[in-house]
Amino acid sequence: MEQRMMTLGEYIVKQQAHYPEAKGELTSLLSSIRLAAKVVNREINKAGLVADIQGGVGSTNVQGEDQQKLDLYANEQFKAALEARREVCGIASEEEPDFVSFNPEHTSNSKYVVLMDPLDGSSNIDVNVSVGTIFSIYRRVSPVGTPVTLDDFLQPGRKQVAAGYIVYGSSTMLVYTTGQGVHGFTYDPSIGCFCLSHENMRTPETGTLYSINEGNYIKFPDGVKKYIKYCQERDDATQRPYSARYIGSLVSDFHRNLLKGGIYIYPSTASAPQGKLRLLYECNPIAMLAEQAGGKASDGFGRILDIEPTELHQRVPFFVGSSAMVETAESFMRDYSSHEDPARG
Ligand code: AHG
Ligand code: MN
Ligand code: MN
């Protein structure tokens, strides 16, 4: 007989049994993310069929990037789902210029804020290539029952209570951590459930994949240029040359490297000294997942999760993946690149 798989909802309830003091708020919060993920998954899956959900909307977000219709759709879906359950008092999103405070009358007991990239890799939508959603959850630092403040969102990544992503790929998966390992659930559309498929994911200590937009090579710091050349050298002991793999969706590139072993780099460039990726809703959640799976995440010189954020949409250079590979890349940065210290706690 076919073995029955545990659903995400059942798994969260089982995990909660380890914390008798838990009141189920985080469970309820994760349920709202799960629901929005299903709705966004449905829309993404018909992106080729339904013309009015493809393409740009002709506007740009606060960071000057083109907004796709599905960026805004996903933003609305996650925001609405999070507001409806009343466990979250405010959100911040790539698609919102400022943080959004939910009505304090409705959220007088809620302890959590969520930061998100509702659709990551959205330029891949129109060409049927994997995209994702990234989320990061913190306990608020301002008093419960009052409107949220910027300080609730500007917390270092090590304070995250939970983090995760959904990858809308050849299958759709939700991967999350609450600080007790990383667990992956594959969506079964026939029953409408995320089913436990990857419990306690561990990333290989080293790997043979490197992922970077090499088209920007000329603009990279010397440390990154030297590291790329190192990846391309022949060395049997470390199985070099490595293979280059780059999708252009952080979630998908990270997910592949997490399973197979590898490194993903989005470094500073001459035109973007802080890189491209956003600390709070791209790098921090991915960094927490990487560490929980036994990997590492760095800005090239130190731990991502120790950076003290100063702005909601702050960018940071990002090196993430198998620990031995990130350490080697850091050693090239130390040896060949200089570093203006980001604020660290
Ligand atoms: P988003 O779609 O949320 O703006 O993120 C896109 C990001 C990231 O997912 C990806 O790894 C990176 O941009 C790709 O950038 P390049 O096209 O510069 O390589
Ligand atoms: Mn993104
Ligand atoms: Mn995005």
Side-chain angles (χ1 to χ4, degrees):
M1 204 179 83
E2 194 187 330
Q3 205 194 336
R4 187 183 175 282
M5 289 181 105
M6 188 177 280
T7 68
L8 173 59
E10 290 167 351
Y11 192 78
I12 295 171
V13 169
K14 182 180 143 216
Q15 294 288 84
Q16 204 190 311
H18 299 302
Y19 306 96
E21 72 287 359
K23 298 199 193 80
E25 294 152 324
L26 197 56
T27 304
S28 169
L29 198 171
L30 289 167
S31 301
S32 47
I33 289 177
R34 180 184 58 184
L35 173 65
K38 289 184 198 176
V39 177
V40 170
N41 177 60
R42 186 193 62 199
E43 285 315 287
I44 286 173
N45 273 286
K46 25 183 225 209
L49 292 171
V50 185
D52 68 354
I53 56 171
Q54 275 201 353
V57 284
S59 61
T60 54
N61 63 20
V62 69
Q63 298 147 83
E65 297 155 343
D66 288 341
Q67 289 181 308
Q68 305 289 312
K69 287 172 190 158
L70 274 167
D71 281 325
L72 301 182
Y73 180 84
N75 189 53
E76 290 310 317
Q77 288 300 326
F78 278 95
K79 194 165 65 171
L82 289 166
E83 187 166 19
R85 289 245 184 179
R86 303 189 174 187
E87 303 298 355
V88 173
C89 44
I91 59 123
S93 161
E94 181 187 0
E95 305 305 334
E96 306 273 351
D98 298 312
F99 65 84
V100 178
S101 182
F102 294 156
N103 186 343
E105 283 172 28
H106 295 163
T107 57
S108 52
N109 292 316
S110 57
K111 297 203 270 290
Y112 296 107
V113 294
V114 174
L115 297 98
M116 62 180 177
D117 178 353
L119 206 62
D120 172 65
S122 54
S123 66
N124 280 325
I125 278 283
D126 293 356
V127 291
N128 204 353
V129 172
S130 302
V131 293
T133 295
I134 312 174
F135 59 91
S136 164
I137 303 172
Y138 291 87
R139 230 168 246 115
R140 65 184 302 178
V141 290
S142 58
V144 170
T146 62
V148 278
T149 66
L150 184 58
D151 286 345
D152 294 322
F153 297 92
L154 297 185
Q155 301 190 53
R158 63 173 182 273
K159 298 253 171 84
Q160 287 172 107
V161 173
Y165 60 79
I166 298 109
V167 55
Y168 311 95
S170 47
S171 61
T172 294
M173 269 189 82
L174 188 151
V175 175
Y176 84 101
T177 182
T178 54
Q180 306 291 319
V182 177
H183 312 296
F185 300 79
T186 302
Y187 187 60
D188 181 343
S190 67
I191 54 170
C193 284
F194 284 98
C195 296
L196 180 63
S197 52
H198 297 67
E199 191 172 18
N200 268 320
M201 297 165 80
R202 302 295 297 169
T203 198
E205 212 227 312
T206 191
T208 56
L209 302 177
Y210 75 103
S211 311
I212 184 166
N213 184 345
E214 235 169 304
N216 291 327
Y217 184 87
I218 198 73
K219 299 194 246 172
F220 288 157
D222 286 347
V224 172
K225 287 181 176 162
K226 299 264 192 215
Y227 180 69
I228 291 174
K229 288 297 157 211
Y230 165 89
C231 292
Q232 297 170 345
E233 278 163 17
R234 183 186 285 273
D235 176 57
D236 291 344
T238 50
Q239 291 182 271
R240 284 180 288 146
Y242 298 151
S243 285
R245 291 284 184 278
Y246 192 73
I247 295 169
S249 295
L250 168 64
V251 169
S252 316
D253 280 306
F254 174 74
H255 182 72
R256 180 201 54 241
N257 291 359
L258 176 69
L259 292 171
K260 296 198 164 194
I263 184 168
Y264 173 96
I265 305 178
Y266 207 110
S268 58
T269 64
S271 47
Q274 291 308 313
K276 176 182 185 187
L277 300 179
R278 277 56 57 110
L279 172 64
L280 291 177
Y281 44 80
E282 292 182 314
C283 302
N284 271 339
I286 295 289
M288 181 179 183
L289 289 157
E291 289 195 4
Q292 283 290 317
K296 271 198 138 189
S298 166
D299 66 356
F301 298 94
R303 188 180 181 223
I304 286 287
L305 295 180
D306 283 337
I307 296 175
E308 296 286 342
T310 54
E311 285 171 42
L312 214 45
H313 298 290
Q314 182 172 341
R315 297 174 194 266
V316 72
F318 197 41
F319 299 64
V320 66
S322 294
S323 56
M325 298 175 88
V326 174
E327 281 163 18
T328 303
E330 281 179 322
S331 76
F332 278 90
M333 292 300 285
R334 268 195 308 274
D335 291 348
Y336 297 104
S337 295
S338 62
H339 173 45
E340 280 174 36
D341 225 357
R344 288 179 184 287

